[in-house]
Amino acid sequence: MKKAYYIENKSYWKNAVLLDYQMADGGEMPIVYTSQRKASSRLENMVKVYTEKMGYKVITTDENHPAKRNHCLHAWTLENQAHHSRVELRLYIFYIN
């Protein structure tokens, strides 16, 4: 079996009464790498773009994120209060036969 790494990007928004909704992914292609180093680098770049270019703030860092267990190698939660939106970024390991 060969290891592969999947970057998951989920977006959420809050309506006028602050109910949380997940946005549709729009049929985006999955982000898959065969190199953990390259996948981790891509995830770090995604966090950088969201924080520096799109005005998101890091809510839960990778070091202490509760999602980091089992097959989840890295996890970040980012929030943009001005747009009432949140992004969950994860890096998972999986195996290909």
Side-chain angles (χ1 to χ4, degrees):
M1 283 204 266
K2 184 171 180 134
K3 287 182 185 179
Y5 304 90
Y6 168 65
I7 296 175
E8 180 181 75
N9 180 354
K10 290 186 179 180
S11 299
Y12 300 86
W13 63 277
K14 291 183 181 180
N15 67 6
V17 293
L18 302 178
L19 291 175
D20 216 14
Y21 289 95
Q22 183 177 351
M23 294 183 217
D25 64 7
E28 294 177 8
M29 295 296 291
I31 304 170
V32 177
Y33 285 86
T34 55
S35 164
Q36 183 177 352
R37 182 185 56 77
K38 288 181 181 179
S40 295
S41 177
R42 170 74 180 265
L43 185 63
E44 289 172 12
N45 285 335
M46 290 172 75
V47 170
K48 189 174 181 179
V49 167
Y50 273 105
T51 56
E52 293 179 7
K53 305 273 189 224
M54 299 173 69
Y56 280 75
K57 302 275 187 235
V58 174
I59 300 302
T60 310
T61 62
D62 184 51
E63 294 81 25
N64 57 7
H65 204 288
K68 280 184 61 176
R69 58 184 180 274
N70 300 327
H71 296 286
C72 185
L73 302 174
H74 298 289
W76 293 84
T77 300
L78 303 118
E79 185 177 70
N80 186 320
Q81 289 187 348
H83 296 116
H84 304 289
S85 59
R86 183 178 87 246
V87 173
E88 301 282 345
L89 298 172
R90 308 275 193 275
L91 176 61
Y92 292 101
I93 185 171
F94 67 99
Y95 299 91
I96 301 170
N97 286 329

